[in-house]
Amino acid sequence: MLNKKILLATSLSVLTLAYAQASYAQDQGQASEDEQQGGGISEIIVTAQKRAENVQDVPIAMTAITGETLKDSGIESADDMTLAVPSLTWQQTHNSSPYIRGVGKPIVTAGNESSVGIFVDGVLQISPLQANFAMDNVERIEVLKGPQGTLFGRNSNGGVISITTRAPSFDTQAEASIGYANYDTVEGKFYASGALGDELAANFSGSFYNQDKGWGKNIYNGDDAYWSKDWHARGKLLWEPDDDTSITLTGEYHYTKTQGNAYAAIAGTLAQDGTGSPGFYNLNSDFETYLRTRVAGANLRARHDMGWAELVSITAYTRVRTYWPYDSDGAPGFILQGPIYESVDGFTQEVQLVSPGTGNFRWVVGLYYMYMDAAFDPIELYGANVGGAKVEVFGATKANSFAGFGQATWEFVPDTNLTVGARMTFDKRSVSGHVDVNDAPGTVAKHSKNFSEPTYKVTLDHKFGRDFMVYATHSTGYNSGQFNTGNANAPAVNPEKIKAYEIGFKSQFLDNKFQLNGAAYHYDYRDLQVTVIENAVTVQTNAAKAKIDGFELEANVAPVRGLLISAAVAYSDARYSDYNNAQYYRPVMGGGYETYSDDATGNRLRLSNKWAFSASARYDIETEAGVFTPSVAYSHRGPFFWNDENTVKEPAHDVLNASLTFTTADDRFWLRIWGKNLFDEKIRASTTLRREVFGEVPAAPLTYGATLGWKM
């Protein structure tokens, strides 16, 4: 606690010094008259409604994060976004799962889809295996809260995370960086863009990350535990034959190898073989566990302005292959383990017609198609819990989805808008699979089922002048029914549905030096898709009903040029209102657990903390040699539970990141010294609750390093 207070006091001192120096500079007349009156929050343009708009003009509760803010806050991966968005929680497993305002699910099965849609450059990330992405070449991130079932293509009843990467430029650009951090970590990034002719431009971004030393040890064999390495590449080719037409072809490849799926017994519990916790950052496993994922994708985005409307087409293909040797018992006993081979192939096609952004009637209409083929090929299981046999679980899930959508905004009186949107979705799902024992083929099971659901949205907003807007929204969300790829004999899981009611405001004052946005909401949430363990395999089933109530406030202050302070608070009360057959666990003498059903009505939803708070600040201190930029980002999260039984609790924790960046006067070179999780909090990235073990995966401990960069 003393170290926390020292670090927090130091951070506050940096902010105080920054503000005092800014005030002194103004008092001494070191800047021009415009600069003395400077400050103001930069406008952020977003595309949450399929057209470019100022974030403050969009009647949606959302957080927009610029690429510069990502760097300053130490946000380098998807799960790091929780540092800037208090209402966002992230379960970081082999296939990560985001939760927004308590809506989400712990996806662990091929073919299942998140309750929060993730889009990169307008393309759905079709598999949760793609969620462990690095924040390379990012222009901005938009976190849209609440159901977004009208304009976004899939299963966005919890919200949407929309990521926009940099477009090719006809001006020559290049930048690179190399960094070193503790745990023998080396990281490098490169970006280049430029013209290939009068009508062609291209860019390329690449990065690598190698954490060679683990956070702990596997005490069974002495190997390092929790190491990671990955590399990413993305290239874009832009063709602009005229002012009204642009076509962008994107290709990308991502490779990740990490121990993010390895776990050991939670302190105070016993695995099935009777062993306990080896230490928070340690493993105790006789079976090498890691995750290797390869993602390849390509997409083609075409835009043509016809004057009366803009025609947009987005075509995308994705191929994901994952191999993860898995020690299910997380202990040295030969209880349950084996490799898992997982694959996903997906294709999406979206066509939009978007009206001009002027006038008192604006609209968007479109069609959407998705095909997905996901498989376990196979899950191999060995150990005492399968009687010493070799068990292979084969399963394949296919999905075809068609949707038509539209949304219109009508300014029926000055400064008052009515927005109405709707989407009709048709899903066809099928599953086939079999279980082989000691190479003897099992009986093949096949099932298929159709699902369809309309979703809609109605929003009324009014502007009191140009600086204050209020809005009220009623919307619905839908997550398609799904089969369990790992158990083809199980019936389909019902669709989960949500009805949301929200009121909010967006405001800016003092010549846009101060922004304050807020929202309050109520959700009726039913047929929640939750996970249980059946016959050693994780499958999905439905809970009955839940209710979620909460509010959020976000503030940004830029009192003087170069200084930006942000803060946000989120409150959420998310509870099951009807769930009388939840899967509960009780310990067995000697280690391990047995399951039984009980009533979870009144319990809190998984990964839903009541209170969360974040704050950040950065200040540019200009000197003759260059610009010094101190930056801090702080996050507090209240306690939450990892299970429906509400017995595995994540304690409240505080995270502080800080950096100091020096940029030369010619803006060509920069050096950043940084630290993350400076309180060295022991935080779980995820948990696994099984009969064999209650296991935990740690998030990163305190890390620190330096990065040197260059740009043209």
Side-chain angles (χ1 to χ4, degrees):
M1 287 301 297
L2 179 61
N3 289 337
K4 286 185 182 181
K5 291 178 180 178
I6 292 172
L7 284 167
L8 192 56
T10 302
S11 301
L12 292 174
S13 297
V14 169
L15 298 182
T16 303
L17 176 62
Y19 187 82
Q21 183 162 349
S23 301
Y24 176 78
Q26 286 193 334
D27 292 342
Q28 296 300 310
Q30 295 178 3
S32 68
E33 182 178 348
D34 289 340
E35 290 172 329
Q36 290 178 27
Q37 297 173 358
I41 299 165
S42 299
E43 182 181 79
I44 299 178
I45 301 300
V46 297
T47 55
Q49 299 188 119
K50 304 300 183 185
R51 58 166 48 87
E53 300 171 289
N54 185 338
V55 65
Q56 290 298 104
D57 294 332
V58 180
I60 297 174
M62 61 185 297
T63 299
I65 311 170
T66 65
E68 192 64 31
T69 299
L70 294 176
K71 295 177 183 177
D72 291 337
S73 300
I75 298 174
E76 296 183 321
S77 60
D79 58 308
D80 283 340
M81 286 189 289
T82 59
L83 193 69
V85 187
S87 57
L88 174 65
T89 308
W90 205 286
Q91 177 173 274
Q92 181 70 15
T93 61
H94 84 283
N95 45 10
S96 295
S97 179
Y99 290 66
I100 296 178
R101 295 176 171 177
V103 179
K105 58 184 180 181
I107 304 168
V108 291
T109 304
N112 296 149
E113 296 179 80
S114 172
S115 297
V116 175
I118 301 175
F119 295 79
V120 177
D121 294 330
V123 175
L124 173 70
Q125 303 302 278
I126 205 163
S127 166
L129 295 167
Q130 296 174 261
N132 296 325
F133 46 80
M135 294 300 180
D136 298 335
N137 190 29
V138 172
E139 179 182 303
R140 71 178 182 279
I141 298 174
E142 304 168 26
V143 181
L144 283 61
K145 305 161 191 175
Q148 305 296 324
T150 301
L151 292 181
F152 286 89
R154 290 295 299 169
N155 296 341
S156 54
N157 55 330
V160 161
I161 299 172
S162 178
I163 299 165
T164 302
T165 62
R166 293 161 71 177
S169 168
F170 284 88
D171 298 325
T172 301
Q173 300 175 356
E175 56 189 73
S177 65
I178 186 73
Y180 182 80
N182 56 337
Y183 300 104
D184 286 343
T185 303
V186 179
E187 182 178 19
K189 295 182 180 181
F190 174 77
Y191 175 80
S193 182
L196 301 179
D198 293 338
E199 299 177 351
L200 286 175
N203 70 9
F204 174 82
S205 64
S207 69
F208 71 88
Y209 176 92
N210 184 22
Q211 179 203 321
D212 201 45
K213 184 178 180 182
W215 300 332
K217 292 289 184 181
N218 184 340
I219 65 173
Y220 179 81
N221 56 22
D223 291 345
D224 275 8
Y226 299 113
W227 43 263
S228 182
K229 60 184 67 178
D230 57 67
W231 59 273
H232 310 268
R234 177 184 287 113
K236 294 185 179 184
L237 180 65
L238 170 66
W239 178 39
E240 291 186 342
D242 54 57
D243 293 340
D244 297 326
T245 307
S246 66
I247 298 174
T248 302
L249 175 64
T250 301
E252 57 187 317
Y253 185 83
H254 308 276
Y255 173 89
T256 299
K257 188 176 182 181
T258 176
Q259 282 196 305
N261 64 327
Y263 52 77
I266 294 174
T269 70
L270 295 178
Q272 188 174 332
D273 68 353
T275 58
S277 170
F280 189 71
Y281 295 107
N282 293 334
L283 296 172
N284 187 12
S285 176
D286 64 328
F287 189 74
E288 184 181 21
T289 297
Y290 62 87
L291 169 73
R292 186 184 68 211
T293 301
R294 295 184 173 96
V295 178
N299 65 79
L300 183 69
R301 182 185 183 97
R303 179 198 63 84
H304 179 66
D305 190 347
M306 300 179 291
W308 61 275
E310 185 174 82
L311 176 64
V312 179
S313 172
I314 305 173
T315 308
Y317 169 76
T318 304
R319 182 180 188 270
V320 184
R321 296 293 183 269
T322 297
Y323 171 69
W324 43 306
Y326 187 60
D327 191 1
S328 182
D329 52 272
F334 187 54
I335 306 298
L336 187 66
Q337 59 196 33
I340 299 175
Y341 301 83
E342 191 169 344
S343 66
V344 181
D345 290 275
F347 173 83
T348 60
Q349 173 65 57
E350 182 169 0
V351 178
Q352 307 165 10
L353 273 177
V354 184
S355 73
T358 57
N360 62 357
F361 189 76
R362 303 176 299 279
W363 49 268
V364 179
V365 295
L367 297 171
Y368 186 84
Y369 171 72
M370 183 202 77
Y371 170 77
M372 178 176 64
D373 183 353
F376 287 125
D377 194 25
I379 301 172
E380 294 183 14
L381 299 174
Y382 307 90
N385 282 14
V386 289
K390 172 188 175 183
V391 177
E392 296 173 293
V393 180
F394 291 86
T397 297
K398 292 180 172 60
N400 282 277
S401 179
F402 302 86
F405 62 91
Q407 180 170 298
T409 298
W410 176 34
E411 187 178 4
F412 60 94
V413 296
D415 298 321
T416 303
N417 298 292
L418 176 65
T419 299
V420 178
R423 175 184 289 262
M424 187 65 200
T425 303
F426 301 90
D427 291 312
K428 182 176 181 179
R429 296 265 185 173
S430 64
V431 66
S432 63
H434 56 95
V435 178
D436 299 352
V437 180
N438 293 329
D439 297 322
T443 302
V444 176
K446 293 183 178 181
H447 302 283
S448 64
K449 191 170 183 177
N450 296 334
F451 304 92
S452 62
E453 184 72 17
T455 51
Y456 61 86
K457 171 183 176 179
V458 180
T459 299
L460 184 67
D461 70 81
H462 177 74
K463 285 189 175 181
F464 297 90
R466 66 182 183 89
D467 294 334
F468 189 79
M469 177 181 69
V470 296
Y471 65 90
T473 295
H474 170 49
S475 59
T476 62
Y478 159 77
N479 193 323
S480 172
Q482 302 173 30
F483 283 103
N484 287 293
T485 313
N487 185 357
N489 288 301
V493 178
N494 292 329
E496 62 176 21
K497 302 175 184 180
I498 194 167
K499 290 183 178 180
Y501 307 85
E502 180 172 322
I503 57 173
F505 70 91
K506 294 191 175 184
S507 62
Q508 52 193 31
F509 309 99
L510 306 175
D511 293 328
N512 201 29
K513 291 183 174 64
F514 176 59
Q515 288 180 351
L516 180 65
N517 301 335
Y521 56 89
H522 169 78
Y523 292 171
D524 288 321
Y525 193 13
R526 63 187 179 93
D527 287 329
L528 289 71
Q529 295 170 353
V530 297
T531 57
V532 297
I533 305 297
E534 292 182 356
N535 300 321
V537 176
T538 303
V539 298
Q540 285 198 103
T541 186
N542 291 107
K545 297 178 183 178
K547 291 187 181 295
I548 306 175
D549 296 285
F551 68 86
E552 301 159 349
L553 286 172
E554 293 187 359
N556 296 294
V557 186
V560 294
R561 190 166 68 92
L563 176 62
L564 177 63
I565 303 172
S566 300
V569 63
Y571 170 83
S572 177
D573 185 17
R575 297 184 180 275
Y576 288 110
S577 54
D578 183 9
Y579 188 15
N580 58 19
N581 62 336
Q583 187 174 70
Y584 277 30
Y585 290 80
R586 56 179 162 236
V588 175
M589 184 69 68
Y593 298 84
E594 62 181 8
T595 62
Y596 64 101
S597 295
D598 208 336
D599 191 353
T601 301
N603 287 2
R604 292 188 59 79
L605 271 60
R606 304 181 190 187
L607 279 82
S608 174
N609 44 261
K610 275 196 171 183
W611 288 98
F613 172 78
S614 66
S616 64
R618 68 183 301 272
Y619 179 57
D620 294 330
I621 303 173
E622 299 182 6
T623 70
E624 291 185 359
V627 179
F628 291 87
T629 305
S631 175
V632 294
Y634 167 75
S635 172
H636 169 81
R637 291 192 173 268
F640 61 83
F641 296 100
W642 289 98
N643 61 342
D644 296 329
E645 192 176 353
N646 284 187
T647 55
V648 181
K649 187 176 184 179
E650 184 71 16
H653 58 258
D654 301 273
V655 174
L656 178 67
N657 294 356
S659 67
L660 177 63
T661 304
F662 170 70
T663 306
T664 57
D666 59 7
D667 200 33
R668 293 190 60 194
F669 297 93
W670 53 270
L671 173 67
R672 175 177 286 116
I673 301 171
W674 57 268
K676 299 173 66 174
N677 189 13
L678 294 175
F679 295 147
D680 200 16
E681 289 266 27
K682 289 182 170 61
I683 303 169
R684 297 186 185 113
S686 65
T687 62
T688 297
L689 309 181
R690 302 179 58 89
R691 293 181 179 182
E692 302 85 47
V693 67
F694 275 15
E696 60 187 1
V697 178
L702 184 154
T703 54
Y704 53 86
T707 305
L708 179 65
W710 162 87
K711 66 179 179 179
M712 290 183 61

